[in-house]
Amino acid sequence: MSVVFAQGFSAAGVRGGISSVEGKKDVAVVVNNGPLNVAAGVFTTNRFAAAPVQYSRNIIASGHARAMVINSGGANACTGEAGYAQVEQTADYAASLLGCASDDVLIASTGLIGELLPLDAVFHGVEKAVNALDSSEEAGAYAAEAIMTTDTRPKTVCIEGTGYRVGGMVKGSGMIAPQLATMISVITTDAIVSSELAQSALREATSRSFDCIDVDGCMSTNDTVIVLASGASGVEPGAEEFTAIVCDACAQLARQIIGDGEGASHDIRIEVRGAGSYAAALACARAVSSSNLLKCAIYGNDPNWGRVVSSLGTVPVDIAAFDPQKVTVDINGVRVCDGGKPGEPRERVSMEEREVHIDINLHTGSSAQAVVWTDDLTLDYVHINADYES
Amino acid sequence: MSVVFAQGFSAAGVRGGISSVEGKKDVAVVVNNGPLNVAAGVFTTNRFAAAPVQYSRNIIASGHARAMVINSGGANACTGEAGYAQVEQTADYAASLLGCASDDVLIASTGLIGELLPLDAVFHGVEKAVNALDSSEEAGAYAAEAIMTTDTRPKTVCIEGTGYRVGGMVKGSGMIAPQLATMISVITTDAIVSSELAQSALREATSRSFDCIDVDGCMSTNDTVIVLASGASGVEPGAEEFTAIVCDACAQLARQIIGDGEGASHDIRIEVRGAGSYAAALACARAVSSSNLLKCAIYGNDPNWGRVVSSLGTVPVDIAAFDPQKVTVDINGVRVCDGGKPGEPRERVSMEEREVHIDINLHTGSSAQAVVWTDDLTLDYVHINADYES
């Protein structure tokens, strides 16, 4: 159901001809039919932010948008003024077909960096998509499919609130760093919310979801997460409940990105407990999640805790104070490192499941904790990224 | 010639039986026969520093040492008090055979983290090595061989100063991060130098060499770089000349590590120019060198400049101010990105040579520059590190 699960939304996913992959759908349009047109967004912090990111960031500042056009097959990043003009032309064209203002249209792109889009194909896709707009399950599914690049499957979420709904879709598989780790996500809701609440709920949600996953430590130029609220349910939820549901939606989508990480054979959950603060726990979990050596070991079904602690040891004391002699590491429930020394024999660790749990306790006396998800580093990851056309 | 190129040194490399690889030499001993016994060292900043690092750091504080024992086949890291006791016992044993004090003996280890050493095999190796000590070319070569782990070849350097010599060896192939990126290196000289000069020259040299290479971004628990000075040449060089030669020696050894990086098929030189400061240039070069996606693209012979600028864009403005619209990127001499936009067609870039040059100009108006070397990320890297016994 994806982005059309909530009332007041229609969507479509079609092939415009942008992607070089035969038959691949490459244009999605999502329309908020109201009555509200609330919008909020979080974007990449990359200084080479793509043209559509620069454009949509300006639109979102108003707190309102009516529609969103997303294309795969080209990122429109590092394309200068010509690229920015392409975004404006696309928004103008979509607005003319939808009968709304140009600054009611958000744009997002994903694909290769450093090339202009084939604008004819984009326009063709937008026209087809606008004609195909629908609130059916199929329309939502097609939209989720159209935004995929190296993803092997669409990723969607549907959550029932108290009298309102939240749905969403995301694409993302590689170039996933723990700084807004996604390429593009759209969350829709029929709740009545202000743009301020939508923005604060989204910020909170991304910090605990997309900011806590790491496929390859590489930050994208195109990361865009958008919330659109139609108010069509007539229900105005409390801020706390709404935030919790948006957090849940983002967490579910982020988990799906890890489950579809490029070439991955294991999903790795790294939990750091007993830290002095959330920031300290997060820094430690991220240090471990970014270790190529650990990720290769997990691919080899080797519960190599030496690569866990050697990564942990790179975190500066002023960021996370802990005594290395007190640290424990459990892998899939077996305490392989106890007080900075060898614990149970690692042969006792079963690595058969896709999911691998690495539980680290810093034993600082405080109880702050953080969780980061990552994937293993496999032959297929290298294959995919060595052969991906530049 | 390695560590015996300079006068006043003898060395040996033998098999003690520590390594599980049949026939692999695993113990090296280097002895400074004087007249001076000056020593300086730089060590890993990892908080899980191995027992031999903790031990040798204390010895080096005195500015003097007479000998060094190095074993491969086991890192003696995360081994607690028992591991530290093994280091003390090894130093005591070597000192008794060499007829010097225990605190004249430095110890370094490399290999698996989280296991105690087979002390009998270590002792056996030390005894054999002490009996085999020699100043011959062969003895130096055997020592360089004995410290290897996943290295495919020994790495040594020999430089003639004005009336004195500097020689050295290094091991390192994986777990190479740009924070003292090496496992173990010994530099010997017959110059007359103070321990203060030896230490300052070494610190300067490592900051511009081992701190500027990156195989996989993973910091080791055992990094150790030692300078031993015998004074046997009778020549006392000026501080500037001596520092320059030690810098040259470390640069040559660091370059050899990149040339032998695990699984590498390309050595990648990343130069950032036109930066506001050396620190800014270095931060940018390191951001690019740590990109798994770029490293996979280079493996696929793809001059993917989008992955260069997307990495550059992750450097915070307060660390390196630059205008993305002014940045140029040349790959092997072809300006593929000009002013943040596409430049020459990437098809013009030849990727046939092993060495790949990525030249970035930030055009800030200042002229600071930095160079970082890295390797491509290959199927063999994953193979090696998925199958490496934990």
Side-chain angles (χ1 to χ4, degrees):
Chain A
M1 291 297 292
S2 157
V3 287
V4 296
F5 179 63
Q7 294 175 69
F9 291 92
S10 52
V14 301
R15 172 157 181 83
I18 308 164
S19 168
S20 58
V21 179
E22 185 72 22
K24 167 79 176 74
K25 291 187 180 64
D26 49 20
V27 174
V29 172
V30 181
V31 175
N32 180 351
N33 300 305
L36 298 181
N37 64 344
V38 166
V42 174
F43 301 90
T44 184
T45 55
N46 199 301
R47 291 163 71 182
F48 287 86
V53 168
Q54 295 174 36
Y55 180 88
S56 296
R57 218 182 247 152
N58 286 337
I59 305 286
I60 280 293
S62 75
H64 299 284
R66 185 57 77 184
M68 184 160 179
V69 175
I70 308 165
N71 75 275
S72 56
N76 198 359
C78 302
T79 45
E81 290 170 13
Y84 198 82
Q86 287 194 325
V87 178
E88 292 178 318
Q89 288 171 276
T90 305
D92 289 347
Y93 184 64
S96 71
L97 296 178
L98 292 167
C100 65
S102 294
D103 61 5
D104 268 337
V105 180
L106 298 161
I107 306 281
S109 299
T110 174
L112 304 176
I113 296 173
E115 285 179 16
L116 287 168
L117 294 171
L119 207 55
D120 285 354
V122 174
F123 276 34
H124 181 55
V126 170
E127 191 186 359
K128 271 174 77 175
V130 169
N131 288 333
L133 281 170
D134 200 71
S135 299
S136 67
E137 188 168 336
E138 194 178 47
Y142 284 171
E145 202 183 306
I147 63 175
M148 290 164 55
T149 53
T150 54
D151 309 62
T152 67
R153 50 183 180 268
K155 301 168 187 71
T156 62
V157 68
C158 302
I159 302 177
E160 289 275 3
T162 316
Y164 65 97
R165 290 173 157 188
V166 173
M169 64 182 184
V170 72
K171 68 82 46 188
S173 183
M175 210 178 243
I176 302 292
Q179 304 128 307
L180 195 52
T182 178
M183 285 290 279
I184 293 162
S185 180
V186 186
I187 315 273
T188 53
T189 179
D190 48 22
I192 297 177
V193 292
S194 65
S195 29
E196 290 71 28
L197 173 56
Q199 185 66 40
S200 71
L202 182 60
R203 180 66 70 183
E204 169 78 10
T206 55
S207 74
R208 300 275 171 153
S209 57
F210 298 120
D211 282 354
C212 293
I213 60 175
D214 183 352
V215 172
D216 50 20
C218 292
M219 189 203 280
S220 155
T221 50
N222 289 58
D223 298 327
T224 301
V225 186
I226 297 291
V227 166
L228 302 172
S230 70
S233 68
V235 173
E236 187 173 353
E240 204 171 320
E241 184 194 312
F242 181 72
T243 300
I245 288 187
V246 175
C247 285
D248 187 13
C250 287
Q252 288 190 37
L253 291 171
R255 179 68 188 81
Q256 289 176 60
I257 289 178
I258 290 298
D260 193 26
E262 284 176 347
S265 67
H266 281 297
D267 304 345
I268 310 169
R269 181 185 192 276
I270 298 159
E271 177 164 0
V272 174
R273 281 174 298 148
S277 67
Y278 174 71
L282 186 63
C284 290
R286 283 181 174 179
V288 174
S289 75
S290 67
S291 166
N292 278 355
L293 284 173
L294 174 64
K295 289 149 72 103
C296 284
I298 300 295
Y299 171 51
N301 291 321
D302 172 8
N304 192 324
W305 63 268
R307 295 178 181 176
V308 174
V309 297
S310 60
S311 302
L312 212 51
T314 65
V315 179
V317 176
D318 57 339
I319 290 179
F322 62 82
D323 176 358
Q325 306 307 322
K326 290 186 179 168
V327 170
T328 59
V329 180
D330 294 18
I331 301 184
N332 286 345
V334 178
R335 179 141 307 171
V336 283
C337 173
D338 198 355
K341 298 194 295 286
E344 300 282 306
R346 64 186 89 204
E347 293 72 27
R348 293 200 189 148
V349 180
S350 166
M351 299 289 287
E352 276 173 30
E353 302 292 321
R354 182 175 172 103
E355 212 167 291
V356 174
H357 289 194
I358 300 178
D359 295 302
I360 299 160
N361 197 322
L362 302 179
H363 289 290
T364 64
S366 302
S367 63
Q369 65 92 35
V371 172
V372 168
W373 282 88
T374 189
D375 288 303
D376 54 349
L377 176 53
T378 69
L379 296 175
D380 278 351
Y381 177 88
V382 177
H383 265 307
I384 292 167
N385 286 298
D387 300 340
Y388 189 66
E389 254 182 42
S390 69
Chain B
M1 292 297 292
S2 157
V3 287
V4 295
F5 179 62
Q7 296 174 69
F9 291 92
S10 53
V14 301
R15 173 158 179 82
I18 307 164
S19 168
S20 57
V21 178
E22 185 69 25
K24 167 80 176 71
K25 291 188 180 66
D26 49 19
V27 174
V29 172
V30 180
V31 176
N32 180 350
N33 300 305
L36 298 182
N37 65 343
V38 165
V42 173
F43 301 90
T44 184
T45 55
N46 199 301
R47 291 163 70 185
F48 286 87
V53 168
Q54 297 174 36
Y55 180 87
S56 296
R57 218 183 246 149
N58 286 338
I59 305 285
I60 280 293
S62 73
H64 300 284
R66 185 56 76 184
M68 185 160 179
V69 174
I70 308 165
N71 75 275
S72 56
N76 198 359
C78 301
T79 44
E81 289 170 13
Y84 198 84
Q86 287 194 324
V87 178
E88 292 179 316
Q89 288 172 276
T90 305
D92 289 346
Y93 183 64
S96 71
L97 296 179
L98 292 166
C100 65
S102 294
D103 61 6
D104 267 336
V105 180
L106 298 160
I107 306 281
S109 300
T110 175
L112 305 176
I113 296 173
E115 284 180 17
L116 287 168
L117 294 170
L119 209 54
D120 285 355
V122 174
F123 276 33
H124 181 55
V126 170
E127 191 184 359
K128 270 173 79 173
V130 169
N131 288 332
L133 281 170
D134 199 71
S135 300
S136 67
E137 189 167 337
E138 192 178 50
Y142 284 170
E145 203 184 303
I147 64 175
M148 291 164 56
T149 54
T150 56
D151 309 62
T152 66
R153 49 183 180 267
K155 302 168 187 70
T156 62
V157 67
C158 301
I159 303 177
E160 288 275 1
T162 317
Y164 63 97
R165 291 173 155 188
V166 173
M169 63 182 185
V170 71
K171 69 83 43 186
S173 184
M175 209 177 246
I176 303 292
Q179 303 127 308
L180 194 53
T182 178
M183 285 290 280
I184 292 162
S185 180
V186 186
I187 315 273
T188 52
T189 180
D190 47 24
I192 297 176
V193 292
S194 65
S195 30
E196 290 72 26
L197 173 55
Q199 186 65 41
S200 71
L202 181 60
R203 181 66 70 182
E204 171 79 10
T206 55
S207 74
R208 301 274 171 155
S209 57
F210 298 121
D211 281 354
C212 293
I213 60 174
D214 182 353
V215 172
D216 51 19
C218 291
M219 187 205 279
S220 154
T221 50
N222 289 57
D223 298 328
T224 300
V225 186
I226 297 292
V227 167
L228 302 173
S230 70
S233 69
V235 174
E236 187 173 353
E240 204 170 322
E241 183 194 313
F242 181 72
T243 300
I245 289 188
V246 175
C247 284
D248 186 13
C250 286
Q252 287 192 37
L253 291 173
R255 180 68 188 81
Q256 290 177 59
I257 290 179
I258 290 298
D260 192 27
E262 284 176 348
S265 67
H266 281 298
D267 303 344
I268 311 168
R269 181 185 192 276
I270 298 158
E271 177 164 359
V272 175
R273 280 175 299 149
S277 66
Y278 174 71
L282 185 64
C284 290
R286 283 181 175 179
V288 174
S289 76
S290 67
S291 167
N292 277 354
L293 284 172
L294 174 64
K295 289 149 72 101
C296 283
I298 300 296
Y299 170 52
N301 290 321
D302 172 9
N304 193 325
W305 63 268
R307 295 179 182 175
V308 175
V309 296
S310 61
S311 302
L312 211 51
T314 65
V315 180
V317 176
D318 57 339
I319 290 179
F322 63 82
D323 176 359
Q325 307 306 322
K326 291 187 179 166
V327 170
T328 60
V329 179
D330 294 17
I331 301 184
N332 285 345
V334 178
R335 179 141 307 171
V336 284
C337 173
D338 197 355
K341 297 194 294 285
E344 300 282 307
R346 64 187 90 204
E347 292 72 26
R348 293 197 189 149
V349 179
S350 165
M351 299 289 286
E352 276 173 32
E353 301 293 321
R354 182 174 171 104
E355 211 166 292
V356 174
H357 289 194
I358 300 178
D359 294 303
I360 299 161
N361 197 323
L362 301 179
H363 289 291
T364 65
S366 301
S367 63
Q369 64 92 36
V371 172
V372 167
W373 282 89
T374 188
D375 288 303
D376 54 350
L377 176 53
T378 70
L379 295 176
D380 278 350
Y381 176 87
V382 177
H383 265 306
I384 291 166
N385 287 297
D387 300 340
Y388 189 67
E389 253 181 46
S390 68

